[in-house]
Amino acid sequence: MLTGDELMTGDTVDSNSSYLSQSLKDFGVVPQSKRVVGDDLALLEESILELTSVSDVLVVNGGLGPTVDDLTALALANAAKEGLSRNADAMEHLEAWAKPRDFVLTESNLKQADLPSSCEVIPNPVGSAVGFKTELNHCLVICTPGVPYEFKRMVDEQVIPLIRQKGSLSAVFEITRLRLFGITESGLQDIVNNRFPDWPSQVNLGFRVQMPVIEVKLITQNDSALNELWTQKFQALFADYIIGKGDTSLPQALNLALLEKELVLTTAESCTGGAIAAAVTSEPGSSKVFQGGFVSYSNGIKHSALGVAEETLDNHGAVSQPVVLEMAAGALRHTKADIAVAISGIAGPDGGTEEKPVGLVWMAWGREDGLKARQFFLPVGRKAFQRTATAIAMDLVRREVMGLDTSVDYFSELKRQGSKLKK
């Protein structure tokens, strides 16, 4: 059950229930009902009573914050015919959360520690609002915060184990999670079908798009050796596309590759507006692999800051192979970095021509004595263009550093769609 007027009005899009359902599916559990309820105390109480009477487990998501419209704790207390009380564990959590932030807890904040008397606290490793659980009508009720990144952590670390325990599931599931970039879901499935016609039914293969990467799960039941065997086969087949296991992101994979080879990166960006540098520096320890970059949006800055020749700009235009090569060379020259990536493109929605349509982008990367360049066509909206171009640029550098093929046919389906759009 999800709570909040913002969900009812569409101001907030629900992603939490999808994440929970996907996570439960890995263990053979499928939710039977989903309900969205606004910030109405009587309706929340009624829904809790109704759902607990027909369910083994009820997950209530949202309504645990400090404001007057956060009503989950009170609604559950009313449904259970018990009062709210200041929970010592919740108070301890709040104080521990506030102290390193020099945050003064107000009476509104303390409301988050007022929980149904019979409940037990469920730790929240990243947020101020604890979760909590109790039994009502022989149903396990689990209350969780609505902030997606808090909810996902709690699902993985707390909620799934509680649900599995409630269900007395005896099966042991072995789950291997791999993260890939540069290939589509259908492309992955087609290759698996062609190369592994003997793929065993005991190894469940699941795909989840988490832009800009794809997560692949290999799931076996009571057979870790089988999981390991087919994970090795899958990894061998898609080695170039796999950026890591678990929650590995592209910036993490790139930074790790740079760190292992003791290389420092510099960036020269135009159409991405600094997004590559921002992604790299979003990771802890990035100062060891990145010291500076350039956002050269105009031709004048490309010339004055990076040394791109005016003749090159006049003869070839900003979105061209010669320009990105000179941008990369200029960034290397100014920063004394070991490796560079440069990018210039037409993000749209305006600015394209028949010769250089919206979606065209040139990238250059490499060391001073071995710069390379490639052209891509990404016929998507402006934000998606910037996000995809940033990801491709990072992956090209990752591949270069690791000695992998950089002529990979990124997102071939996207290219086919692009050619249709151009006709």
Side-chain angles (χ1 to χ4, degrees):
M1 184 175 88
L2 301 105
T3 74
D5 286 345
E6 67 277 6
L7 291 168
M8 300 297 295
T9 60
D11 291 334
T12 297
V13 177
D14 165 40
S15 61
N16 287 351
S17 64
S18 175
Y19 186 84
L20 177 60
S21 296
Q22 287 285 338
S23 300
L24 287 170
K25 188 174 75 171
D26 294 342
F27 300 97
V29 178
V30 179
Q32 295 300 303
S33 175
K34 179 175 80 169
R35 182 176 299 184
V36 182
V37 183
D39 297 319
D40 181 294
L41 183 60
L43 188 55
L44 286 167
E45 181 181 341
E46 177 186 329
S47 297
I48 289 171
L49 285 169
E50 178 185 343
L51 292 171
T52 55
S53 68
V54 296
S55 307
D56 297 311
V57 179
L58 171 63
V59 178
V60 183
N61 183 234
L64 305 187
T67 56
V68 293
D69 58 345
D70 291 308
L71 300 169
T72 295
L74 180 57
L76 179 57
N78 289 349
K81 293 182 168 47
E82 61 186 51
L84 293 174
S85 60
R86 186 67 47 91
N87 185 286
D89 292 334
M91 270 303 304
E92 183 179 347
H93 172 86
L94 266 176
E95 290 167 353
W97 176 85
K99 186 175 180 179
R101 297 170 172 81
D102 291 326
F103 186 89
V104 178
L105 294 171
T106 66
E107 196 59 36
S108 294
N109 298 118
L110 296 178
K111 171 180 175 289
Q112 293 178 292
D114 292 337
L115 307 181
S117 302
S118 64
C119 77
E120 296 179 37
V121 162
I122 302 174
N124 180 347
V126 288
S128 63
V130 297
F132 49 92
K133 65 182 176 112
T134 191
E135 289 272 346
L136 180 62
N137 296 329
H138 305 291
C139 172
L140 172 63
V141 182
I142 303 173
C143 297
T144 57
V147 180
Y149 74 89
E150 296 180 23
F151 175 72
K152 291 176 181 179
R153 279 286 298 273
M154 292 182 70
V155 165
D156 294 342
E157 298 174 13
Q158 308 287 342
V159 176
I160 294 298
L162 285 170
I163 292 175
R164 294 190 67 196
Q165 183 180 358
K166 174 69 176 180
S168 299
L169 300 176
S170 59
V172 177
F173 289 85
E174 185 74 21
I175 303 175
T176 301
R177 298 167 59 211
L178 302 172
R179 309 268 283 182
L180 295 87
F181 174 76
I183 189 169
T184 62
E185 284 181 285
S186 58
L188 276 168
Q189 188 65 72
D190 288 343
I191 294 172
V192 169
N193 291 344
N194 291 333
R195 294 293 296 275
F196 295 126
D198 58 339
W199 188 276
S201 60
Q202 303 96 314
V203 183
N204 182 31
L205 193 62
F207 305 98
R208 183 189 300 180
V209 177
Q210 297 181 317
M211 289 299 294
V213 302
I214 293 177
E215 180 183 84
V216 176
K217 293 182 181 180
L218 291 90
I219 306 168
T220 56
Q221 185 174 320
N222 300 326
D223 199 334
S224 58
L226 187 65
N227 186 288
E228 183 178 353
L229 172 64
W230 283 92
T231 295
Q232 290 174 354
K233 291 185 177 185
F234 187 93
Q235 287 177 305
L237 183 58
F238 295 104
D240 283 9
Y241 293 100
I242 295 172
I243 63 171
K245 287 187 174 183
D247 295 320
T248 303
S249 66
L250 262 175
Q252 286 175 333
L254 171 57
N255 286 11
L256 180 60
L258 290 165
L259 190 62
E260 287 179 350
K261 300 296 183 180
E262 297 182 343
L263 297 174
V264 173
L265 172 70
T266 185
T267 56
E269 303 180 60
S270 182
C271 59
T272 47
I276 302 171
V280 170
T281 57
S282 68
E283 295 299 321
S286 56
S287 60
K288 295 178 181 178
V289 298
F290 185 87
Q291 295 177 2
F294 301 83
V295 178
S296 53
Y297 209 66
S298 71
N299 284 359
I301 297 299
K302 289 180 177 69
H303 170 66
S304 62
L306 291 170
V308 178
E310 290 181 334
E311 182 181 358
T312 305
L313 289 163
D314 291 340
N315 291 341
H316 301 281
V319 184
S320 65
Q321 180 180 18
V323 165
V324 290
L325 286 170
E326 290 190 26
M327 287 170 65
L332 286 170
R333 186 168 57 250
H334 285 297
T335 62
K336 308 300 181 185
D338 302 298
I339 192 167
V341 62
I343 184 167
S344 183
I346 306 170
D350 303 315
T353 65
E354 185 174 346
E355 184 181 280
K356 295 184 178 182
V358 169
L360 181 70
V361 59
W362 272 97
M363 301 181 194
W365 71 95
R367 295 173 172 85
E368 187 176 10
D369 58 352
L371 288 171
K372 305 173 185 177
R374 282 187 66 181
Q375 173 186 276
F376 297 93
F377 181 60
L378 308 174
V380 292
R382 184 180 182 87
K383 290 184 179 179
F385 171 92
Q386 291 178 319
R387 183 173 61 244
T388 305
T390 295
I392 290 175
M394 287 191 292
D395 193 59
L396 284 170
V397 178
R398 179 189 71 87
R399 286 172 172 271
E400 181 72 22
V401 170
M402 297 180 66
L404 300 174
D405 181 18
T406 56
S407 63
V408 59
D409 188 17
Y410 285 106
F411 305 112
S412 57
E413 281 198 358
L414 185 60
K415 288 186 174 183
R416 287 197 294 273
Q417 293 168 9
S419 25
K420 290 177 186 176
L421 289 170
K422 288 171 69 179
K423 290 180 181 178

